[in-house]
CSV table of all heavy atoms in Angstrom, one decimal:
chain,number,residue,atom,x,y,z
M,55,ASN,N,61.4,84.1,169.5
M,55,ASN,CA,61.6,82.7,169.1
M,55,ASN,C,60.3,82.1,168.6
M,55,ASN,O,60.3,81.3,167.6
M,55,ASN,CB,62.1,81.8,170.3
M,55,ASN,CG,63.5,82.2,170.7
M,55,ASN,OD1,64.3,82.8,169.8
M,55,ASN,ND2,63.9,82.0,171.9
M,56,LEU,N,59.2,82.4,169.3
M,56,LEU,CA,57.9,81.8,168.8
M,56,LEU,C,57.5,82.4,167.5
M,56,LEU,O,57.0,81.7,166.6
M,56,LEU,CB,56.8,82.2,169.9
M,56,LEU,CG,55.4,81.8,169.6
M,56,LEU,CD1,55.3,80.3,169.4
M,56,LEU,CD2,54.4,82.3,170.6
M,57,ILE,N,57.7,83.7,167.2
M,57,ILE,CA,57.4,84.3,166.0
M,57,ILE,C,58.2,83.8,164.8
M,57,ILE,O,57.7,83.5,163.8
M,57,ILE,CB,57.5,85.9,166.1
M,57,ILE,CG1,56.4,86.4,167.0
M,57,ILE,CG2,57.3,86.5,164.7
M,57,ILE,CD1,55.0,86.1,166.7
M,58,VAL,N,59.5,83.6,165.1
M,58,VAL,CA,60.4,83.2,164.0
M,58,VAL,C,60.0,81.7,163.7
M,58,VAL,O,60.0,81.3,162.5
M,58,VAL,CB,61.9,83.2,164.5
M,58,VAL,CG1,62.8,82.5,163.5
M,58,VAL,CG2,62.3,84.7,164.6
M,59,ALA,N,59.8,80.9,164.7
M,59,ALA,CA,59.4,79.5,164.4
M,59,ALA,C,58.1,79.4,163.7
M,59,ALA,O,57.9,78.6,162.7
M,59,ALA,CB,59.4,78.7,165.7
M,60,SER,N,57.1,80.2,164.1
M,60,SER,CA,55.9,80.2,163.4
M,60,SER,C,56.0,80.7,162.0
M,60,SER,O,55.3,80.2,161.1
M,60,SER,CB,54.8,81.0,164.2
M,60,SER,OG,54.7,80.5,165.5
M,61,ALA,N,56.8,81.8,161.8
M,61,ALA,CA,56.9,82.3,160.5
M,61,ALA,C,57.6,81.3,159.5
M,61,ALA,O,57.2,81.2,158.3
M,61,ALA,CB,57.7,83.6,160.5
M,62,GLU,N,58.6,80.6,160.0
M,62,GLU,CA,59.2,79.6,159.2
M,62,GLU,C,58.2,78.5,158.8
M,62,GLU,O,58.2,78.0,157.7
M,62,GLU,CB,60.4,79.0,159.9
M,62,GLU,CG,61.6,80.0,160.0
M,62,GLU,CD,62.8,79.4,160.8
M,62,GLU,OE1,62.5,78.4,161.5
M,62,GLU,OE2,63.9,80.0,160.7
M,63,ARG,N,57.4,78.1,159.8
M,63,ARG,CA,56.5,77.0,159.5
M,63,ARG,C,55.4,77.4,158.6
M,63,ARG,O,55.0,76.6,157.7
M,63,ARG,CB,55.9,76.5,160.9
M,63,ARG,CG,55.0,75.3,160.7
M,63,ARG,CD,54.5,74.7,162.0
M,63,ARG,NE,53.7,75.7,162.7
M,63,ARG,CZ,54.1,76.4,163.8
M,63,ARG,NH1,55.3,76.2,164.3
M,63,ARG,NH2,53.3,77.2,164.4
M,64,ALA,N,54.9,78.6,158.7
M,64,ALA,CA,53.8,79.1,157.8
M,64,ALA,C,54.3,79.7,156.5
M,64,ALA,O,53.4,80.1,155.7
M,64,ALA,CB,53.0,80.1,158.6
M,65,GLY,N,55.6,79.8,156.3
M,65,GLY,CA,56.1,80.4,155.1
M,65,GLY,C,56.1,81.9,155.0
M,65,GLY,O,56.3,82.5,153.9
M,66,TYR,N,56.0,82.6,156.2
M,66,TYR,CA,56.1,84.0,156.2
M,66,TYR,C,57.5,84.5,156.2
M,66,TYR,O,57.8,85.7,156.0
M,66,TYR,CB,55.4,84.6,157.5
M,66,TYR,CG,53.9,84.8,157.3
M,66,TYR,CD1,53.0,83.7,157.6
M,66,TYR,CD2,53.3,85.9,156.8
M,66,TYR,CE1,51.6,83.9,157.4
M,66,TYR,CE2,52.0,86.1,156.6
M,66,TYR,CZ,51.2,85.1,156.9
M,66,TYR,OH,49.8,85.2,156.7
M,67,LEU,N,58.5,83.7,156.5
M,67,LEU,CA,59.9,84.0,156.6
M,67,LEU,C,60.6,83.6,155.3
M,67,LEU,O,60.8,82.4,155.1
M,67,LEU,CB,60.5,83.5,157.8
M,67,LEU,CG,61.9,83.9,158.1
M,67,LEU,CD1,61.9,85.4,158.3
M,67,LEU,CD2,62.4,83.2,159.4
M,68,ALA,N,60.9,84.5,154.4
M,68,ALA,CA,61.6,84.2,153.2
M,68,ALA,C,63.1,84.1,153.4
M,68,ALA,O,63.6,84.7,154.4
M,68,ALA,CB,61.2,85.2,152.1
M,69,PRO,N,63.8,83.5,152.5
M,69,PRO,CA,65.3,83.4,152.7
M,69,PRO,C,65.9,84.9,152.7
M,69,PRO,O,65.4,85.7,151.9
M,69,PRO,CB,65.7,82.7,151.5
M,69,PRO,CG,64.6,81.8,151.0
M,69,PRO,CD,63.4,82.7,151.4
M,70,MET,N,66.9,85.1,153.5
M,70,MET,CA,67.5,86.4,153.6
M,70,MET,C,68.3,86.8,152.4
M,70,MET,O,69.1,85.9,152.0
M,70,MET,CB,68.3,86.5,154.9
M,70,MET,CG,67.5,86.3,156.2
M,70,MET,SD,66.5,87.7,156.5
M,70,MET,CE,67.7,89.0,156.8
M,71,PRO,N,68.1,87.9,151.8
M,71,PRO,CA,68.9,88.3,150.6
M,71,PRO,C,70.3,88.6,151.1
M,71,PRO,O,70.6,89.0,152.2
M,71,PRO,CB,68.1,89.5,150.1
M,71,PRO,CG,67.4,90.1,151.2
M,71,PRO,CD,67.1,88.9,152.1
M,72,GLN,N,71.3,88.5,150.1
M,72,GLN,CA,72.6,88.9,150.4
M,72,GLN,C,72.8,90.4,150.2
M,72,GLN,O,72.6,90.9,149.2
M,72,GLN,CB,73.6,88.1,149.4
M,72,GLN,CG,73.5,86.6,149.5
M,72,GLN,CD,74.0,86.1,150.9
M,72,GLN,OE1,74.9,86.7,151.4
M,72,GLN,NE2,73.4,85.1,151.4
M,73,VAL,N,73.2,91.0,151.3
M,73,VAL,CA,73.4,92.5,151.3
M,73,VAL,C,74.7,92.8,151.9
M,73,VAL,O,75.3,92.0,152.6
M,73,VAL,CB,72.2,93.2,152.1
M,73,VAL,CG1,70.9,93.0,151.4
M,73,VAL,CG2,72.2,92.8,153.5
M,74,PRO,N,75.3,94.0,151.6
M,74,PRO,CA,76.5,94.4,152.3
M,74,PRO,C,76.4,94.4,153.8
M,74,PRO,O,75.3,94.6,154.3
M,74,PRO,CB,76.7,95.8,151.8
M,74,PRO,CG,76.0,95.8,150.4
M,74,PRO,CD,74.8,95.0,150.6
M,75,ALA,N,77.5,94.1,154.5
M,75,ALA,CA,77.4,93.9,155.9
M,75,ALA,C,77.0,95.2,156.7
M,75,ALA,O,76.4,95.0,157.7
M,75,ALA,CB,78.8,93.5,156.4
M,76,ASN,N,77.2,96.4,156.1
M,76,ASN,CA,76.8,97.6,156.8
M,76,ASN,C,75.4,98.0,156.5
M,76,ASN,O,75.0,99.1,156.9
M,76,ASN,CB,77.8,98.7,156.5
M,76,ASN,CG,77.8,99.0,155.0
M,76,ASN,OD1,77.3,98.2,154.2
M,76,ASN,ND2,78.3,100.1,154.6
M,77,LEU,N,74.6,97.2,155.8
M,77,LEU,CA,73.2,97.6,155.5
M,77,LEU,C,72.3,96.6,156.1
M,77,LEU,O,72.6,95.3,156.2
M,77,LEU,CB,73.0,97.5,154.0
M,77,LEU,CG,73.7,98.6,153.2
M,77,LEU,CD1,73.4,98.4,151.7
M,77,LEU,CD2,73.3,100.0,153.6
M,78,PRO,N,71.2,97.0,156.7
M,78,PRO,CA,70.2,96.1,157.3
M,78,PRO,C,69.5,95.3,156.3
M,78,PRO,O,69.1,95.8,155.3
M,78,PRO,CB,69.2,97.1,158.1
M,78,PRO,CG,69.3,98.3,157.3
M,78,PRO,CD,70.7,98.4,156.8
M,79,PRO,N,69.4,94.0,156.5
M,79,PRO,CA,68.7,93.1,155.5
M,79,PRO,C,67.2,93.4,155.6
M,79,PRO,O,66.6,93.7,156.6
M,79,PRO,CB,69.0,91.7,155.9
M,79,PRO,CG,69.2,91.9,157.4
M,79,PRO,CD,69.9,93.2,157.6
M,80,SER,N,66.5,93.2,154.4
M,80,SER,CA,65.1,93.4,154.3
M,80,SER,C,64.6,92.4,153.3
M,80,SER,O,65.0,92.3,152.2
M,80,SER,CB,64.7,94.8,153.9
M,80,SER,OG,63.3,94.8,153.7
M,81,THR,N,63.6,91.5,153.7
M,81,THR,CA,63.0,90.6,152.8
M,81,THR,C,61.7,91.0,152.3
M,81,THR,O,61.1,90.4,151.5
M,81,THR,CB,62.8,89.2,153.6
M,81,THR,OG1,61.9,89.5,154.6
M,81,THR,CG2,64.1,88.7,154.1
M,82,ARG,N,61.2,92.2,152.8
M,82,ARG,CA,59.8,92.8,152.5
M,82,ARG,C,58.7,91.8,152.9
M,82,ARG,O,57.6,92.1,152.6
M,82,ARG,CB,59.7,93.0,151.0
M,82,ARG,CG,60.7,94.1,150.5
M,82,ARG,CD,60.3,94.6,149.1
M,82,ARG,NE,61.2,95.6,148.6
M,82,ARG,CZ,61.1,96.9,148.9
M,82,ARG,NH1,60.1,97.3,149.7
M,82,ARG,NH2,62.0,97.8,148.5
M,83,THR,N,59.0,90.8,153.6
M,83,THR,CA,58.0,89.9,154.2
M,83,THR,C,58.4,89.5,155.6
M,83,THR,O,59.5,89.8,156.0
M,83,THR,CB,57.8,88.6,153.3
M,83,THR,OG1,59.1,87.8,153.4
M,83,THR,CG2,57.5,88.9,151.9
M,84,GLY,N,57.4,88.9,156.3
M,84,GLY,CA,57.7,88.4,157.6
M,84,GLY,C,56.5,88.5,158.5
M,84,GLY,O,55.4,88.7,158.1
M,85,LEU,N,56.8,88.3,159.8
M,85,LEU,CA,55.7,88.3,160.8
M,85,LEU,C,56.2,89.1,162.0
M,85,LEU,O,57.3,89.1,162.4
M,85,LEU,CB,55.6,86.8,161.3
M,85,LEU,CG,54.3,86.5,162.1
M,85,LEU,CD1,53.0,86.8,161.3
M,85,LEU,CD2,54.3,85.0,162.4
M,86,ALA,N,55.2,89.9,162.5
M,86,ALA,CA,55.5,90.8,163.6
M,86,ALA,C,54.4,90.8,164.6
M,86,ALA,O,53.2,90.5,164.3
M,86,ALA,CB,55.8,92.2,163.1
M,87,VAL,N,54.7,91.2,165.9
M,87,VAL,CA,53.7,91.4,166.9
M,87,VAL,C,53.7,92.9,167.4
M,87,VAL,O,54.8,93.4,167.7
M,87,VAL,CB,54.1,90.5,168.1
M,87,VAL,CG1,53.1,90.7,169.3
M,87,VAL,CG2,54.1,89.0,167.7
M,88,LEU,N,52.5,93.4,167.4
M,88,LEU,CA,52.4,94.8,167.9
M,88,LEU,C,51.5,94.8,169.1
M,88,LEU,O,50.6,93.9,169.2
M,88,LEU,CB,51.7,95.7,166.8
M,88,LEU,CG,52.6,95.9,165.5
M,88,LEU,CD1,52.3,94.8,164.5
M,88,LEU,CD2,52.3,97.2,164.9
M,89,ASP,N,51.8,95.7,170.0
M,89,ASP,CA,51.0,95.7,171.2
M,89,ASP,C,49.6,96.4,171.0
M,89,ASP,O,49.3,96.8,169.9
M,89,ASP,CB,51.7,96.4,172.4
M,89,ASP,CG,52.1,97.8,172.1
M,89,ASP,OD1,51.4,98.5,171.2
M,89,ASP,OD2,53.1,98.3,172.7
M,90,GLY,N,48.9,96.6,172.1
M,90,GLY,CA,47.5,97.2,171.9
M,90,GLY,C,47.5,98.6,171.6
M,90,GLY,O,46.5,99.2,171.2
């Protein structure tokens, strides 16, 4: 929730493209957290 809210506020989360239901969507952009 924190990452999604921050990504929307900072512009890292682009609108989701329309893809067939059986394919995973990909925007080629976004925000992620990786551990150590």
Side-chain angles (χ1 to χ4, degrees):
N55 293 335
L56 179 60
I57 293 301
V58 170
S60 299
E62 290 177 343
R63 185 174 64 253
Y66 276 90
L67 190 57
M70 295 292 292
Q72 298 296 326
V73 297
N76 59 343
L77 295 177
S80 176
T81 63
R82 295 192 180 275
T83 63
L85 191 59
V87 178
L88 296 89
D89 61 20

